[in-house]
Amino acid sequence: MTKYFLTSESVTEGHPDKMCDQISDAILDAILKEDKDARVACETATTTGLVLVMGEITTSTYVDIQSIVRETVRDIGYTRAKYGFDGDTCAVVTAINEQSPDIAMGVDTAKEKKEGDDDHYNQVGAGDQGIVFGYASNETEELMPMPISLAHKLAKRLTDVRKDGTLRYLRPDGKTQVTIEYEDNKPVRIDTVLISAQHSPEVNQETIAKDLREHVTDVILPQDWVDENTKYYFNPTGQFSVGGPMGDSGLTGRKIIVDTYGGMAHHGGGAFSGKDPTKVDRSASYAARHAAKNLVAAGLCDRCEIGLSYAIGVAKPLSIFVNSFGTGKYSDEDLVKVVEACFDMRPQAIIDRLDLRRPIYKKTAAYGHFGRDDEGFPWEEVDAVNRVKEFVEKNL
């Protein structure tokens, strides 16, 4: 028997890095609402009293970035100076340029089309070179690794009890962490739970620990996975009243493992937030998750990781990689054939199949891009299971 422990973390929407992700994606959504063909690479940085929005945007519409930033910060909950940040009074600085014409040239017309292949899906080349990964596992209902799934749910619950007034002393910043014990690659118990929650300075740590146990962990954690040896840590430093951008600077794309699979799987070369779907860092990562989830849902394997690589200006992936970690009913080489036959991984095909030119991105920017079945994300649908099974039946 092989035993090991895997730990994954999440953060609340008030964490400074996640604030930046949400601002970048809120700007992207506002632009896509009016101009679905816009090219957006929007980065955000924040520190005490300041939000800086920068990047490259080419669009036919106008959006009020100042208003979007302030509304996003207010929605998160930073509405008073004593919280360390105030959406109404913070400075907002913008530094926006257009997309490089050298990049646009490759994205507007893929290399394949320039060479005479007029297939519709060769219209768009990859927005950059890069590698991406998608993953799925049958260890949870949403086909995600259990540690990151529980960490996200705890972080979301931490925000919910703050916003609904259950724990009025909580403030927007917070972090969660869950350690799961595995035996023979299967989760068997929850070993450790950690929550660090920003709070008003007058509340004592005993109250915080009691309330977080009652209103957060006991509500979210499946109790048959908890035992007498499960360890809990609540605000282990003893104080967390200074948080958000006042406690730590924030930057778009600095929580990439939180955004994906919590360390269970590989992560590609780029972050997601603030990028339009011509950027394969984002769209192909969604497509790889969609394919991996459908292969697992179809029963072809218990675990599946799919890797894709791209060249800037080229539509077709340079390589497709599948690892089923020894759980596949077919060889990994055969699973590559399934992916190639059932999932067109050219950028335009991904955009069309997953309907990605829509303002759906702000809600991806906190609590994970994957395993969110309640949000209607198309890459979470198991709508290709029959197609996968039919191909396997006829060809493998």
Side-chain angles (χ1 to χ4, degrees):
M1 180 180 68
T2 301
K3 182 165 78 171
Y4 62 89
F5 297 84
L6 182 70
T7 301
S8 298
E9 69 162 345
S10 184
V11 297
T12 66
E13 61 200 55
H15 186 281
D17 294 330
K18 274 291 146 205
M19 287 177 62
C20 294
D21 287 344
Q22 290 165 90
I23 290 168
S24 293
D25 274 336
I27 293 168
L28 172 63
D29 279 355
I31 293 172
L32 289 178
K33 186 176 181 181
E34 304 297 331
D35 179 11
K36 65 182 181 63
D37 295 317
R39 301 286 165 75
V40 181
C42 181
E43 310 286 345
T44 303
T46 185
T47 187
T48 304
L50 172 67
V51 175
L52 169 62
V53 179
M54 54 194 161
E56 297 77 44
I57 298 175
T58 301
T59 179
S60 61
T61 192
Y62 167 81
V63 297
D64 187 343
I65 290 177
Q66 285 259 349
S67 296
I68 294 168
V69 169
R70 296 187 190 282
E71 180 180 359
T72 303
V73 173
R74 286 194 297 265
D75 287 347
I76 290 169
Y78 287 112
T79 56
R80 302 181 67 182
K82 74 175 186 177
Y83 296 167
F85 207 81
D86 182 355
D88 291 318
T89 61
C90 66
V92 178
V93 178
T94 60
I96 303 294
N97 294 304
E98 289 193 346
Q99 184 182 57
S100 160
D102 294 342
I103 296 175
M105 180 172 58
V107 179
D108 292 340
T109 307
K111 183 176 184 291
E112 290 92 335
K113 185 169 184 179
K114 291 175 183 176
E115 294 176 348
D117 188 340
D118 288 329
D119 187 305
H120 169 70
Y121 294 133
N122 287 334
Q123 292 180 7
V124 174
D128 200 354
Q129 71 175 46
I131 58 172
V132 303
F133 291 92
Y135 180 84
S137 167
N138 64 5
E139 65 189 70
T140 62
E141 184 177 346
E142 60 271 29
L143 304 187
M144 285 287 285
M146 181 173 283
I148 190 66
S149 178
L150 291 178
H152 282 322
K153 290 174 181 177
L154 289 172
K156 182 62 166 60
R157 178 66 180 175
L158 196 59
T159 294
D160 289 343
V161 296
R162 169 177 63 87
K163 288 188 170 182
D164 68 16
T166 300
L167 300 179
R168 295 183 181 277
Y169 57 79
L170 290 182
R171 291 179 177 172
D173 200 355
K175 304 179 81 170
T176 63
Q177 190 168 282
V178 177
T179 302
I180 298 294
E181 182 179 340
Y182 284 77
E183 292 181 358
D184 294 330
N185 295 315
K186 299 291 185 182
V188 295
R189 58 180 289 274
I190 298 172
D191 181 75
T192 307
V193 180
L194 166 62
I195 297 181
S196 295
Q198 186 190 12
H199 58 85
S200 59
E202 61 271 12
V203 66
N204 62 61
Q205 297 304 308
E206 291 75 15
T207 298
I208 293 171
K210 174 180 175 297
D211 287 345
L212 292 182
R213 182 71 182 263
E214 177 181 353
H215 296 289
V216 179
T217 60
D218 286 355
V219 172
I220 295 299
L221 300 179
Q223 292 305 299
D224 53 342
W225 289 81
V226 174
D227 60 29
E228 67 276 6
N229 294 316
T230 299
K231 300 177 285 294
Y232 294 87
Y233 297 94
F234 300 109
N235 284 17
T237 65
Q239 177 97 350
F240 186 9
S241 59
V242 178
M246 187 175 182
D248 190 13
S249 62
L251 187 64
T252 298
R254 204 159 57 183
K255 284 289 175 286
I256 56 174
I257 302 303
V258 171
D259 287 341
T260 54
Y261 307 103
M264 177 68 83
H266 291 96
H267 192 289
F272 303 154
S273 289
K275 296 178 180 177
D276 75 79
T278 66
K279 278 75 171 173
V280 289
D281 283 341
R282 178 169 226 158
S283 55
S285 294
Y286 292 168
R289 160 65 177 172
H290 181 240
K293 187 171 185 180
N294 276 270
L295 263 61
V296 172
L300 272 60
C301 47
D302 295 338
R303 300 167 61 199
C304 182
E305 182 176 74
I306 295 174
L308 308 171
S309 68
Y310 291 87
I312 186 168
V314 180
K316 188 177 179 181
L318 303 182
S319 65
I320 298 177
F321 157 89
V322 175
N323 185 1
S324 63
F325 306 94
T327 69
K329 293 183 179 178
Y330 303 88
S331 70
D332 290 347
E333 183 179 359
D334 282 339
L335 294 180
V336 170
K337 295 176 184 177
V338 176
V339 173
E340 290 176 333
C342 297
F343 303 92
D344 192 332
M345 294 301 187
R346 290 174 290 180
Q348 186 65 55
I350 293 170
I351 290 168
D352 289 356
R353 181 168 69 250
L354 301 180
D355 195 12
L356 296 180
R357 294 193 190 274
R358 296 179 293 139
I360 59 173
Y361 297 106
K362 182 184 175 184
K363 60 185 179 181
T364 69
Y367 314 114
H369 292 244
F370 307 119
R372 308 273 298 281
D373 294 337
D374 58 324
E375 295 289 359
F377 297 151
W379 52 89
E380 290 300 315
E381 298 294 331
V382 287
D383 51 2
V385 167
N386 290 338
R387 183 165 74 246
V388 165
K389 289 182 175 179
E390 287 173 7
F391 175 84
V392 169
E393 184 177 340
K394 293 177 181 178
N395 297 280
L396 298 184

